[in-house]
Structures are given as structure tokens and as C-alpha cells.
Amino acid sequence: MFEPEIIAFCCEYCGYSAADLAGAMRVEYPPNVVIVRVPCAGYLTPVHILRVFEEGYDGVFIASCLEGSCQYRTGNERAEKMVSIVKKLLDEVRIGGERLEIYKMASSMGKYFADIAINMTEKIKKLGPNPIKLIEERFEEEEHKQLKEMGVRISNT
Amino acid sequence: MLLQNEQNLTKKISKTGAVMVIGAGVSGIQASLDLADSGYKIYLVEKGPSIGGKMTQLDKTFPTNDCATCILAPKLVECIRHRNIETMTLCEVVKVDGYAGSFKVTIKRNPRYVDLDKCTGCGQCEKACPVKLPNEFDLGLSQRKAIYRFSPQADPNVPVIDAPNCRYLTMGKCEACSKICPTGAINFEDRKELINLDVGALILAVGFEQSDISKLKELGYGRYPNVITALQFERIMNSSGPFLGHIQRLSDGKKPEKIAFIQCVGSRNKEKDYCSSVCCMQATKEAIMIKEHIPEIDVSIYYMDIRVYGKEFDQYYNRARDKYKVKYIRSMPSSIEEDPLTHNLFVTSVQENSLKTDEYDLVILSTGVEPSVDAQVISKNIDFDLNKYGFCKTDRYSPVETTRDGIYVCGPFSEPKDIAESVTQGCATAGLAGALLSSKRGTLVKKKIFPEELDVIGQEPRIGVFICHCGNNIAGVVDINSVKKYSEKLPNVVYCEDMKYACTQDSLQQISQIIKENNLNRVVVASCSPRTHESLFRESLRNAGLNQFLFEMANIRNQCSWVHSNQPEKATEKSKDLIRMSVARAASLESLELFSIPINKKALILGAGVAGMTAALTISKQGFEVVLIEKKNEPGGLAKRIEYDFEGKQPKKFVEELINKIGKDPNITLLTNSELTHIAGFVGNFKSKIKRRIKDGEFEQIDIEHGVLIVATGGEEYQGTDYGYGANNKILSQLEFEHKLVEKEINPEQLEKVVMIQCVGSRTEEHPYCSRVCCGEAIKNALKLKEINPDIEIVILYKDIMTYGFLEQYYTKARDMGIVFLRYDDNNKPEVLPEMNGKVRVKTIDLSLRREFLIDCDLLLLSRGIIPSPSNEELFKILRVSLIEQGFYEEAHPKLRPVDFASEGFFLCGLAHTPRHIGEAVAQAQAAASRATVILSQKELLAGGEVSVVDQDKCVACLNCVRICPYQVPFINENGVAQIEVTNCYGCGICVGVCPVRAISLKNYKDEQVIPKIEALFKKELV
């Protein structure tokens, strides 16, 4: 069974607080989601996101403040724009833009955060692993084949 | 004589540098923080088990729809953590002896039965307790136990035992909680005690109660399950509320399709002849939230006047009506009946002259504001007066002072008001208490001294990992042993320890000790949330001589054990992942320096109206110098033109007194004919240029260095020619009329009929906001005319009468005296027709009666609104601050930072903020002064830490950062490249993302510090 690795970038205020509250309310969600705290969703750049996919994560979501209540005024709007650009890039390189999402939430929305974590995990499970991983595996296989042809023995440890 | 002098002398000497704040709602918390930050010891006394007040029960706040908890929680944490604030929960004041500057207060502390120091807030006792009771936090919509926290996010996060309902305390059997408590925090022997404290001043912030609506049986509350209050509905909408945010009816849990709000329940009636000021906006907010959740729900609001008199309220209301299609029905229901089968409700009201009944499946009562239940007792115990409504008595021109010297009041305890006004008043009381005790500033506060920091640059990372069990909270799910063994082997980890509770005082000391003994230079704590505990652990680093930024937390409780309790093995694996990620990041962390910057202790205030002068005096009393500049040739501003008030007092005199005091104050320099032309620098160190007109065509430039700036540039009377203004001397503005009346140029005895038109230049397309003061102004003048000549017929043409708070009584009085109020709207505006027989002819339609009227009057008075000062258009560019659409200045946050600008060190008060009454401007000015004092009273400012820096060699001056920064911090310096002042940067990192050449980095969040953390999830094999 494919277990996706999903990263959730949470802004220091609402996103992270909502994730904390999900815990305080003991709402269960799959352990596939790991949370990374950032000062503001607006801090994230396409480079961060692409790097995450390059590393092999299967999905990413950003949890930012609600519309109009970003602690840093416009950070969530910036992040939203960034996400729409990176989604297109991901589509172009066939990783798939649907692996990246942004959700706006208030710090009191613990249940909502958990719901997102659940839905995101389900969605990514259906999509399957990040294609980059498959490419890497194929590379390795081909490498092995070539080495074999060259007569090098590979021990599978 | 000698004796008296001696007494005065001793009084002076024996002042105490501590303040007691009674009530820990949002206004009390604000007062406490301001005072504690400016050098006073605070006792924050709260009757309940946790702080935060009514605001914690709200879902969202108007007009920004901010989540109430999101914006309040940081202040609560700050309060609990503050070195100079002693939070005393479950405490009540019994007696206050002494005098202003030196009070002796007796406090009664009620037992909590849970040890604050031992309890870790794990919540196991609450699960174990067998007694179920209605939950007050959810207003009875859910259940709590006999040992409980007031709210899930309570501060302090420690439960209390409800003694009358506890089985052990009443029957001597049970002890379920004490048996399960892992730290032995339950103490059934806890008893109430009396505590004596010396303070210099008291601040009353005891809040309000929801109207007692049990008396209003005809509305069905308590009889019909689907009739609820607006506050209950806040809980229903809240995502951590009883229904997790699903809007539903109480009778059957079904989603309602048609909802009605009923306004003015428990206010604006015979017994409560005041307006509760907040309910119109609250209902509008709730209606918008409903529509945002489920657009197809039909929402109606039954009301008398929609009171949208605050900043951006009118737009909010328009949005609800036009965009969200909320129906506003101007009619008060006479009855509500229930269909016993469906539990639907029939609301009957008069609409357009006929009785109409509508069916709804949920009815929400907008209950009003009543004085705190403790008002009577407190007023007796502390010895100050209440007004006729039972609220704290205050004077119009000193709205935060009680009748007893040295005792101040803020928030809705003195009059119903919203959060923004309550916070403003909280600051204002801090300003006054600080002024009273300025000679004792800094005498009772604690200052913590840390050992000198070690230099870790160039050292190989030596990481210590501390894994917390949090009792059973983590250890009950996660296999700590396995996690520990794993963590020991992670790269750079030289020490690993597990702790039962990492946050107890013992553990914190132990961490410091271990850092020193093992020469650790990075620390990772795997426990709970950095939001609540990061500052605590960082202090342990500082105690060990380690820079506080060499620290990283792995949240293995809230984000692991608590949410994966059903999958303990996976939770254990995830804990390892999270720790590995944190360790990877920790290795790349750097020491960050906090710079200490000296502060110029002078304030510059722009505008010498009531607000500017009040702010100047409040700052001067705190012992700081003020330069007050005024564009005009004399101080006084708009208030000087107001001749009398409702009580017959003369605001003019009040203004003259202020001018007098300013003249005599050696700390204040007043410069008239002066304008600010340039400002540079940053908080604590501004350099400004002032242009002063010496005589016509001759100017001089004055350079001023100052630490803070207050903008009090005021507003102006609207000057349009609407309704024939200027055509003849029978059409006057309210202010002109007042003046002529006092100068006896108008004789009321000769007048037969007077018409007044409201909202002239307000709530129009050009000026789409309510000017707040004009309804009061018109009613005041109408009453004055009636007083002199009771035979005058007066007709007031209005849209909504905005007599909020205690102004309502004058509206009632006006109607009782026969003053006629006819309502018009934008589609049916009054018209001024050609003069007939020497009288002004006004044509109008009354919307209630649906009839046209022609009125010939001797005098037509136009209630002209307040417009922003034209100077704003220039000044906002000089200051680099923002204006709102309507032309007034924009504050940092409309609710919680109402007198701060987003730019550090700039503050705002008076009409420059929005139109307001004199008393409100006074409170706002005192508030701005208090906020400014928080900066001026510091010895030095600490700047730096997590801020953005520009690599000057890489910058290509593309201006992206300059444009994108939400606070306008980056600028192009003399070298032609972008620069970010460390003192001004908020550390959001938005600029980092837009820099095309990666010249900007955010300290502590550099790419090389964030990427390793991301990579580490896949580096399991490193071990």
C-alpha cells in the first residue's frame, strides 16, 4: 500500500495554531502529514516548493491565515499567487499541479485542518507517488542493468 | 497649614509603583501590558479561572471578520508570561483603603483545588471526572465536568474544581481526578485566603453581562428550543464550538433554511434607556458569516435603526445588504409563536402599516449589554459611584476616570462599547495610571540578568535532544525509549535525555545545567508547541550562556501523539522523523544578535486640537518632553466651535483649559503655523523637519529629533452646498446655528418651525461613512430650542438615528418632547424648494408612513458630517503610512491596535482616525500617549533577531521588495541599493520571495536552514 509523504507548510499564526488545536481537540488524521513552520505563507517561494517535490514528497499544502486577516497583511495573497504559478509549472513537468494546495484558515479551525490532512492524504494516495521518485527508480534500474552488462555484481543489501 | 504641607509631602513620597487591574478581559489585558511594558508592576485580578473575558467566546470580530481567538491569544500568552504581571485568577477585591498613589487592597482568593505550578494541562482529570454539567463557555450548548477549564484554549491552561458540584468535596467520595493526575496537582485542601497588596492605582475592567432576557418571555427564549441568543450563535458557528462550526438548530440538529435576528432585545426600552452599541454590527457580522458558510440560508434582521457609526461599519453593512443579500426589516416583532410540531417560529411584526407574520426555523436574539453583575458590590467595596443605569459613572470629558481619585475604568463597564473602543480605553487608563505614578516607574519591576553569551561561530554542532513524555500525553502513545535510542544516533547529537515534563522549573534548570556540562551549542526539545513553550526553553538556553536562537522544537504532542493516538507505532516513527528534521535544522542555526538602540525620549505630536493637546499633556505628566505642532495659527481645533453639550457645559471652556495647561507645561513646546515636511529614521530615533511660517511668505525650518510620533491632525466640517446651503441665512449648519444662538443672533422665541436634515455629507457616495456625532448634535440643538421655546415645532429628517450608548436617552427625551422624526433614504432624499412667504420649503417623504410632506420652516439646519483633513493627502506620503478608502488614517489593527500605526513608533488619535465625540477623542489621545510612553520609557530598544537583511553586493535595486513589503520598510539608500532597517522589519519574509537575485534573506529562515529540514525526512538511512 502506497503511503504518501506530505508536507504542510503552516504560517506561524493561523495555520500552525489550527494544527495545534487539532491536537488539543484530539482529532485524528493520518501520520503521513508532517508540518513545517514558516513565519508567513508569503515567505514561501516557488524554489521552496519545487525543492520539496524534487526531494520526493508526494504532496504539499500550505496553511495560511484567512482572507483579509493575514498577520502580515498580504502574505496569504502572495502565497496564493505563488501557488497558482507553481501549480502550472508542476503540470508542465508532469508532476501534477493538484499535488500542491493552499488553504486559508483561522486558528480556531482545528477540525478543518485535520479534515484537510485527511482529504489531502486520500487525494495523493489516489494520484500515486511523486513521478520523480519513479524516474529515480528507473534510473537506478537502468544503472544496475548497465553495470550487470559490464559484469559488475551488485549485492542487494 | 504646615500640617497639610507635611501630609502632601508624605503622600508624594509614599507612592507605590504598582497598579492593580481588575478584570482580565481584553481591555484589562491591554491596560496591564501597556503598564507592565512601561515599568510598573501589575496585579491582574480576575474573578474567573482563566483570562481573556467575553472575547474568547466570540467566533469572528467585525468589521474585518478576524477570528477572535487568533488575534487575542498572543496577548493572553504575553500576559501570562510577562515578568511584571502577576495574574491572579479566582480572585476578588474585598476592600480598598488609602488614596491615589498609595492604596492598600484586600483580595480574596478562592480555591482552585489544582496546583498551578504542578499542573501541566494534560486534561486527564477532565476525562476521568464522572460529573457532567452544562458548559458556561458554550452557554449551555455542551457539557463540561466538575473539574474543567473554562475554554479549550484557556490561559492559564489549568483546570478548576467546581466545588459545589464535586463529589469528593461535597460527599467525600470519588477522587477520580486526584487518582489519575500524573503530577499530584489536585489539592482538595486548598482554601480561600485573604491577600493584602499595596498599589498606586486601580483600573476597573470588569466588563459586562448579556441582558437578562428571561424577563422577555414573549420572545420565547427558554421556552422554544430554536430561539437562541447572538452569543450562543457565536459558539454554534465556532469551529471548536459544540457543533464544530456546523450551523444547526437546537430542536433537531437540522440545518436551518430561514433565520431571523431580532435587534434591541434588552436594550432601548423603558427600563434600559440606552443602546448597547455593538449588537447591530454583531448581528450583521453573524449574518455575513452564515451567508459565507451556507449562501442559500435566508437571513433577515429585524431592527429599529441600524447603528453603523464606527470605522468601516457602514461599508460592512452595505456589503451584508447588497452582496450577501441579508434582509433588513425595519420593524420590531410584537410576538414570536412556535409550531409545536416542527418547532418553527412565527414572527409577527408591523411592516408597511400592516401586520405580517413570517415563518423561520431559527430565531437569534441580539441581546444587549448590561452592567457587570458585580457592579454594585465592587462599587461599594472600592467606593466609587455608578450612574443611573448601574454602569460606572464617568464624566463626558474624562471618560476613563471614576469618581474616586486614582481609580480608572475601561471597557464596557462604563458604557456599552465594542472591542476597539475597549482596547483604546484600556490603553488610556494605562496612560493615566502611568502619569499618576511616573515618579515610581521602574521601582518594583524585575529585570532578569543572563550570563554573557558564548561565541559558537565555527564550532562543530554539538546538539542536545530533550524528549518530553508530557506525562502520558506523549509517552502514552509514543515509545519514548525507542525514540530516544534513535535520536542518540542522529548526526551531531552528542546528548539525549528524556524528561517526564520538560517544562517544569526543575527540568528547565536541568536543561541549562546539561548544556553547560556537555558544551552543547544547539538544543532540540521534542515536546509540545513552540507557540506556547518556545520562549520558556529559549530562556533555559540564555541561562546557560547560549544564544536563544540556537534552539529548535519538534512538536511531537499536538502534531503527533494527540492526533495519531490510534496508531502508536506510526506515531513513534513520525516522532523520529520530526526529531530528525529538527536536528538537521538545528545544525544549521546561527546565533542572532539583538541590538540595543538608545531612545530619544521626546515625542512629536502633529495637531493641537483636543486629541493632540490631551496626548501632549498625558505624555508630559509621564515625564517626557513633547513638541506639539499646529498648522493653524492657534491651537484648539474643531472642538472650539462647539458651544454647549447636553448637560449645558461648554466644550469651548474645556478646550481653553487645555490650551492653558499646555501653555504652562514646561515639558511642552507648542509651535503654531507649522507643518511637518520630512521625517527620517526609525522608532526611537526619528529626525524631522518642520516648516514654520514666521510671517507671510517667510518661513523657517526647524529640525527635531524625537523617539515617537503621534498624528492628531483632526478632521473638518463638510463644506458642500447640498440642500441650498449658502443661499440664504435661513439655511445653516448645526455649528453655525449654535454659534448664532449663543451670540443671540437667533431668537428661538421668534421661530415657529425648524427642520433639520441629517447625513449631509455623510453616508453619501462621496463620503460613504457615518460621521457619528451629527445625530447627537442635532438632538442636542433640538432640545436646546425646545427648552427655550417649547412651542417650536421641530422636524428631524434622518436615515438612522445613531444615538449609541447613553446618547439614546436624549433621543427618547426628544421624542417625548414632541420632536418629530421623519425617515428618508437615498432614493427619497428631501428637497429644498424655492422660498415661500419668507420660509424655507422642504419636501420630504416619510418612509414609515409612506407619505409626502411639504414643510415650511423658519430655519433649516444641516447636520453636516466630518470629513478627513485635506492635509492627510500630503502627510500620508511623508509618513509613508496608509489611508483607508474614506481618507482617514489606517491603524495597525482595527480591533487590537486601534491607536498604533503599522509603522513602529507612529501613533494615531482623534478625528484623524475617524469622526468621534470629544470624550472619545480624549480617551483615544490618552491611549496614544500610553502607547507612545511604552517606547519612551524603555532604556533601550532591542532590534534584530528574525529580520530580513539585504546583501548589498547582490542587490540590483529592482524595487520589488520596496513595492511588496506590507509595512513599506525597504528603501533605496544612498548607495543606490535596497536597505531594510532592522528596527522596522516585522520578519514576515515576504520580500525574500520577490527578490529575483536572492539578495534578501530572512535570518533564522535562510534557505540553508529550511531546506535541510525538508531533506531530512528522506534521510532515514543516515542513522
Side-chain angles (χ1 to χ4, degrees):
Chain A
M1 179 71 188
F2 163 57
E3 287 295 343
E5 313 261 17
I6 296 167
I7 201 160
F9 287 111
C10 291
C11 78
E12 205 170 282
Y13 287 89
C14 296
Y16 201 87
S17 308
D20 271 353
L21 184 62
M25 291 163 75
R26 311 293 202 276
V27 196
E28 291 273 327
Y29 58 81
N32 306 58
V33 177
V34 292
I35 290 163
V36 171
R37 185 168 69 137
V38 290
C40 172
Y43 156 84
L44 292 164
T45 63
V47 176
H48 289 126
I49 307 295
L50 294 176
R51 187 65 188 260
V52 169
F53 283 109
E54 203 183 313
E55 285 301 326
Y57 286 87
D58 305 295
V60 175
F61 71 88
I62 299 170
S64 76
C65 300
L66 283 180
E67 190 96 39
S69 44
C70 173
Q71 289 287 336
Y72 298 114
R73 294 171 156 214
T74 53
N76 52 358
E77 293 164 26
R78 290 285 322 156
E80 211 169 21
K81 276 187 204 151
M82 188 272 294
V83 164
S84 68
I85 292 167
V86 177
K87 266 173 169 283
K88 278 186 204 138
L89 281 177
L90 291 172
D91 278 334
E92 276 173 30
V93 299
R94 308 242 181 101
I95 289 175
E98 64 272 31
R99 291 180 187 273
L100 169 66
E101 297 293 346
I102 179 165
Y103 297 97
K104 294 181 184 165
M105 60 189 73
S107 62
S108 60
M109 294 163 74
K111 176 79 169 53
Y112 179 72
F113 181 89
D115 287 344
I116 289 168
I118 294 166
N119 294 339
M120 197 74 189
T121 310
E122 281 309 306
K123 185 168 115 180
I124 304 292
K125 268 186 188 170
K126 277 187 199 137
L127 286 175
N130 178 351
I132 278 189
K133 279 198 276 198
L134 298 178
I135 294 168
E136 274 173 5
E137 275 167 30
R138 206 177 306 149
F139 269 147
E140 266 171 40
E141 272 171 31
E142 270 172 27
E143 223 173 3
H144 285 198
K145 226 199 267 168
Q146 279 173 12
L147 289 171
K148 238 179 203 170
E149 279 162 13
M150 289 158 69
V152 181
R153 223 192 299 161
I154 298 160
S155 59
N156 247 346
T157 46
Chain B
M1 190 64 201
L2 190 70
L3 190 70
Q4 215 175 8
N5 267 347
E6 253 174 17
Q7 266 177 355
N8 284 342
L9 205 62
T10 43
K11 271 186 191 180
K12 244 180 207 159
I13 291 165
S14 59
K15 276 186 183 173
T16 311
V19 178
M20 181 173 291
V21 178
I22 302 164
V26 66
S27 59
I29 282 173
Q30 185 59 49
S32 304
L33 287 172
D34 267 15
L35 280 165
D37 284 339
S38 49
Y40 301 97
K41 164 88 191 172
I42 304 300
Y43 300 101
L44 177 57
V45 175
E46 165 60 43
K47 195 178 78 167
S50 56
I51 64 172
K54 293 254 190 331
M55 190 172 164
T56 56
Q57 286 171 289
L58 299 181
D59 180 42
K60 299 283 182 336
T61 58
F62 60 78
T64 50
N65 292 349
D66 273 328
C67 153
T69 318
C70 304
I71 56 176
L72 181 63
K75 289 213 182 210
L76 300 184
V77 174
E78 203 184 335
C79 218
I80 295 275
R81 282 283 145 75
H82 206 293
R83 201 164 279 137
N84 298 329
I85 300 176
E86 197 172 321
T87 307
M88 306 173 72
T89 45
L90 296 163
C91 287
E92 291 167 74
V93 175
V94 181
K95 198 171 75 173
V96 178
D97 289 327
Y99 47 83
S102 177
F103 291 107
K104 289 200 180 307
V105 187
T106 310
I107 299 283
K108 183 177 84 183
R109 188 187 69 83
N110 294 310
R112 182 185 283 271
Y113 305 103
V114 181
D115 191 322
L116 279 170
D117 295 326
K118 284 186 189 162
C119 174
T120 62
C122 72
Q124 292 182 53
C125 52
E126 287 166 85
K127 270 194 199 145
C129 175
V131 185
K132 282 186 181 165
L133 298 156
N135 184 347
E136 295 88 349
F137 182 69
D138 283 336
L139 300 134
L141 298 178
S142 66
Q143 288 185 322
R144 64 162 171 88
K145 299 298 184 64
I147 183 163
Y148 72 108
R149 280 167 294 182
F150 181 64
S151 76
Q153 287 157 305
D155 277 299
N157 190 17
V158 174
V160 53
I161 294 181
D162 175 356
N165 288 304
C166 169
R167 284 195 188 163
Y168 181 79
L169 288 168
T170 50
M171 297 181 286
K173 263 187 216 157
C174 180
E175 290 184 88
C177 53
S178 71
K179 277 178 202 152
I180 200 149
C181 178
T183 59
I186 310 288
N187 171 17
F188 290 117
E189 301 309 311
D190 199 2
R191 293 288 173 267
K192 71 176 175 206
E193 58 177 336
L194 291 179
I195 304 165
N196 293 310
L197 292 167
D198 291 330
V199 296
L202 280 95
I203 292 171
L204 311 175
V206 294
F208 69 99
E209 307 295 331
Q210 238 197 136
S211 306
D212 178 11
I213 54 165
S214 58
K215 290 174 197 156
L216 297 161
K217 277 276 163 58
E218 75 267 24
L219 295 176
Y221 184 76
R223 288 193 293 151
Y224 308 143
N226 294 328
V227 176
I228 58 171
T229 67
L231 199 54
Q232 280 181 316
F233 192 65
E234 294 276 348
R235 296 311 308 150
I236 291 179
M237 280 196 301
N238 191 275
S239 49
S240 55
F243 311 125
L244 298 171
H246 296 293
I247 297 172
Q248 61 184 66
R249 319 205 298 167
L250 295 188
S251 66
D252 50 12
K254 272 197 202 140
K255 184 188 90 185
E257 279 159 19
K258 233 178 141 197
I259 301 179
F261 284 86
I262 318 273
Q263 298 305 106
C264 299
V265 176
S267 38
R268 295 189 71 184
N269 56 35
K270 278 239 168 63
E271 292 92 59
K272 309 262 180 230
D273 189 15
Y274 59 83
C275 162
S276 292
S277 301
V278 293
C279 340
C280 283
M281 282 299 283
Q282 187 183 15
T284 299
K285 170 193 75 181
E286 292 184 2
I288 288 179
M289 295 326 297
I290 294 169
K291 287 283 193 178
E292 281 198 343
H293 276 279
I294 311 167
E296 62 270 20
I297 296 184
D298 179 294
V299 185
S300 302
I301 299 181
Y302 288 80
Y303 73 105
M304 293 199 270
D305 295 277
I306 276 295
R307 294 200 165 153
V308 286
Y309 53 86
K311 198 171 195 169
E312 311 215 276
F313 287 9
D314 221 357
Q315 289 88 320
Y316 194 72
Y317 160 56
N318 290 338
R319 206 158 77 223
R321 199 187 49 205
D322 303 335
K323 183 180 164 198
Y324 292 98
K325 308 290 173 212
V326 175
K327 292 175 198 155
Y328 285 85
I329 301 170
R330 192 185 288 262
S331 175
M332 287 315 282
S334 50
S335 76
I336 296 177
E337 302 289 336
E338 188 197 46
D339 177 338
L341 287 177
T342 60
H343 294 292
N344 283 356
L345 301 147
F346 298 102
V347 176
T348 306
S349 67
V350 178
Q351 289 174 39
E352 294 177 8
N353 285 337
S354 63
L355 220 51
K356 207 172 160 215
T357 300
D358 284 302
E359 189 176 350
Y360 295 94
D361 39 20
L362 183 64
V363 168
I364 300 168
L365 306 179
S366 285
T367 47
V369 170
E370 279 187 11
S372 161
V373 274
D374 306 318
Q376 297 286 345
V377 180
I378 294 176
S379 104
K380 216 176 93 216
N381 287 355
I382 304 182
D383 190 22
F384 63 91
D385 295 345
L386 300 177
N387 65 18
K388 61 181 172 186
Y389 307 109
F391 288 87
C392 178
K393 189 174 176 180
T394 56
D395 179 73
R396 188 178 290 279
Y397 303 106
S398 47
V400 300
E401 292 168 58
T402 68
T403 50
R404 185 169 173 188
D405 247 10
I407 298 182
Y408 309 99
V409 58
C410 58
F413 184 42
S414 56
E415 189 171 358
K417 56 179 67 77
D418 68 3
I419 293 167
E421 296 289 331
S422 300
V423 170
T424 303
Q425 287 202 337
C427 296
T429 52
L432 295 191
L436 172 70
L437 305 173
S438 66
S439 61
K440 293 288 170 181
R441 185 196 306 282
T443 51
L444 292 174
V445 296
K446 281 184 246 166
K447 194 164 188 251
K448 184 127 201 222
I449 296 162
F450 295 100
E452 203 164 313
E453 277 178 16
L454 304 165
D455 185 8
V456 301
I457 295 174
Q459 286 181 10
E460 277 295 301
R462 291 178 60 81
I463 303 175
V465 178
F466 298 88
I467 304 161
C468 178
H469 293 228
C470 196
N472 245 348
N473 282 291
I474 297 171
V477 178
V478 172
D479 180 350
I480 298 277
N481 241 333
S482 154
V483 173
K484 189 184 167 193
K485 275 190 189 141
Y486 175 84
S487 305
E488 279 168 352
K489 290 185 231 148
L490 286 169
N492 299 317
V493 172
V494 295
Y495 189 93
C496 191
E497 183 73 270
D498 63 312
M499 298 174 137
K500 196 118 186 105
Y501 288 102
C503 60
T504 59
Q505 216 48 47
D506 285 352
S507 303
L508 292 170
Q509 276 169 10
Q510 208 188 330
I511 292 174
S512 299
Q513 199 59 34
I514 292 169
I515 293 172
K516 280 192 254 177
E517 283 169 6
N518 296 279
N519 295 322
L520 301 180
N521 58 17
R522 306 283 192 287
V523 175
V524 171
V525 173
S527 60
C528 49
S529 174
R531 280 175 50 254
T532 50
H533 284 70
E534 189 172 56
S535 57
L536 203 63
F537 293 120
R538 279 184 167 175
E539 204 166 294
S540 296
L541 269 72
R542 296 178 76 187
N543 283 332
L546 209 52
N547 184 282
Q548 57 174 322
F549 292 97
L550 300 168
F551 172 73
E552 170 73 6
M553 267 179 102
N555 190 340
I556 59 167
R557 188 187 72 179
N558 295 47
Q559 296 172 2
C560 187
S561 68
W562 273 355
V563 287
H564 312 314
S565 58
N566 296 338
Q567 310 175 64
E569 275 163 32
K570 286 196 171 167
T572 302
E573 283 315 301
K574 186 172 171 182
S575 298
K576 291 177 187 172
D577 291 346
L578 291 173
I579 292 173
R580 187 175 64 250
M581 290 168 78
S582 288
V583 167
R585 173 167 151 80
S588 64
L589 291 175
E590 296 169 351
S591 298
L592 299 188
E593 201 183 337
L594 295 177
F595 308 94
S596 120
I597 295 162
I599 292 168
N600 183 312
K601 309 235 164 194
K602 196 187 274 177
L604 176 65
I605 301 179
L606 311 181
V610 164
M613 290 194 287
T614 306
L617 288 167
T618 314
I619 292 179
S620 155
K621 273 190 207 149
Q622 303 238 23
F624 303 106
E625 262 183 79
V626 181
V627 177
L628 178 59
I629 69 169
E630 169 59 46
K631 195 174 59 176
K632 300 215 173 74
N633 58 2
E634 54 173 18
L638 200 56
K640 219 171 32 180
R641 292 181 60 196
I642 307 171
E643 300 283 351
Y644 47 84
D645 64 16
F646 282 110
E647 289 90 22
K649 280 193 242 164
Q650 293 172 287
K652 214 177 174 174
K653 284 246 170 77
F654 169 70
V655 177
E656 276 161 19
E657 272 169 39
L658 283 178
I659 296 175
N660 248 331
K661 283 184 198 163
I662 294 277
K664 282 185 200 150
D665 195 317
N667 280 340
I668 302 175
T669 313
L670 173 67
L671 299 172
T672 50
N673 294 320
S674 301
E675 279 178 78
L676 179 80
T677 56
H678 184 258
I679 185 165
F682 48 86
V683 58
N685 296 278
F686 293 111
K687 288 192 174 83
S688 292
K689 294 189 196 309
I690 310 288
K691 189 167 115 186
R692 189 166 85 97
R693 190 166 61 90
I694 304 166
K695 56 185 177 207
D696 276 341
E698 209 176 301
F699 296 93
E700 66 169 338
Q701 186 185 301
I702 303 167
D703 291 331
I704 293 171
E705 294 189 4
H706 54 105
V708 292
L709 174 96
I710 297 179
V711 177
T713 46
E716 294 191 356
E717 189 192 13
Y718 171 70
Q719 293 296 340
T721 53
D722 322 34
Y723 301 112
Y725 177 79
N728 63 41
N729 60 1
K730 291 177 191 117
I731 304 177
L732 300 173
S733 79
Q734 295 282 4
L735 281 176
E736 285 168 335
F737 162 76
E738 269 181 55
H739 185 70
K740 285 183 192 262
L741 185 72
V742 170
E743 295 297 322
K744 307 226 183 292
E745 288 170 33
I746 288 175
N747 182 0
E749 303 289 352
Q750 290 167 353
L751 300 173
E752 283 174 17
K753 209 167 223 177
V754 175
V755 173
M756 300 182 183
I757 302 179
Q758 298 306 106
C759 297
V760 181
S762 305
R763 303 185 81 191
T764 58
E765 247 170 58
E766 190 193 356
H767 297 291
Y769 56 88
C770 165
S771 287
R772 194 165 174 142
V773 297
C774 343
C775 283
E777 178 84 2
I779 289 171
K780 176 190 83 177
N781 284 339
L783 289 173
K784 187 84 177 175
L785 281 171
K786 276 279 188 189
E787 196 183 290
I788 303 169
N789 177 6
D791 296 331
I792 300 184
E793 278 183 51
I794 300 174
V795 181
I796 298 182
L797 312 180
Y798 75 103
K799 287 191 199 171
D800 290 281
I801 290 291
M802 302 277 182
T803 46
Y804 58 94
F806 302 148
L807 282 175
E808 179 71 11
Q809 59 181 313
Y810 301 107
Y811 181 32
T812 310
K813 190 174 167 193
R815 281 174 308 178
D816 288 348
M817 288 179 80
I819 293 165
V820 178
F821 289 83
L822 299 181
R823 188 167 64 82
Y824 74 91
D825 67 14
D826 286 335
N827 301 324
N828 303 282
K829 280 193 171 180
E831 280 174 59
V832 177
L833 303 177
E835 210 168 294
M836 290 290 283
N837 310 325
K839 299 208 174 206
V840 181
R841 172 165 280 190
V842 181
K843 187 173 102 174
T844 191
I845 288 177
D846 180 63
L847 289 174
S848 308
L849 301 171
R850 303 253 145 208
R851 247 195 67 188
E852 190 178 291
F853 289 89
L854 279 178
I855 313 167
D856 293 331
C857 59
D858 304 302
L859 207 51
L860 173 64
L861 300 185
L862 304 179
S863 298
R864 303 207 290 183
I866 292 172
I867 57 168
S869 163
S871 69
N872 292 4
E873 289 297 328
E874 284 304 308
L875 199 53
F876 95 95
K877 288 182 211 153
I878 297 172
L879 299 174
R880 294 202 293 165
V881 297
S882 337
L883 297 179
I884 59 167
E885 218 179 299
Q886 298 80 24
F888 296 98
Y889 287 101
E890 185 178 28
E891 61 277 47
H893 189 277
K895 286 286 184 207
L896 291 188
R897 292 178 68 197
V899 298
D900 297 25
F901 274 105
S903 314
E904 290 281 311
F906 287 1
F907 305 95
L908 170 66
C909 59
L911 302 189
H913 176 281
T914 32
R916 49 193 48 244
H917 289 279
I918 294 178
E920 292 168 331
V922 167
Q924 223 180 15
Q926 289 162 341
S930 164
R931 300 291 301 150
T933 307
V934 168
I935 293 173
L936 295 177
S937 60
Q938 309 296 321
K939 282 209 178 65
E940 58 191 19
L941 276 183
L942 287 180
E946 290 172 5
V947 293
S948 289
V949 281
V950 184
D951 182 340
Q952 305 240 329
D953 295 334
K954 282 190 190 165
C955 176
V956 293
C958 69
L959 299 183
N960 267 358
C961 56
V962 176
R963 273 193 293 265
I964 206 76
C965 174
Y967 305 98
Q968 287 108 35
V969 176
F971 64 96
I972 302 297
N973 66 12
E974 58 270 27
N975 303 327
V977 292
Q979 187 177 331
I980 294 171
E981 283 294 349
V982 283
T983 41
N984 294 357
C985 179
Y986 280 67
C988 62
I990 296 175
C991 52
V992 176
V994 297
C995 180
V997 292
R998 314 291 287 158
I1000 309 180
S1001 59
L1002 177 62
K1003 288 188 176 177
N1004 217 24
Y1005 285 97
K1006 290 182 181 173
D1007 281 353
E1008 55 267 36
Q1009 294 170 327
V1010 174
I1011 306 272
K1013 184 167 182 175
I1014 297 169
E1015 287 172 349
L1017 181 63
F1018 292 101
K1019 292 192 174 161
K1020 297 184 201 219
E1021 73 277 11
L1022 272 178
V1023 182

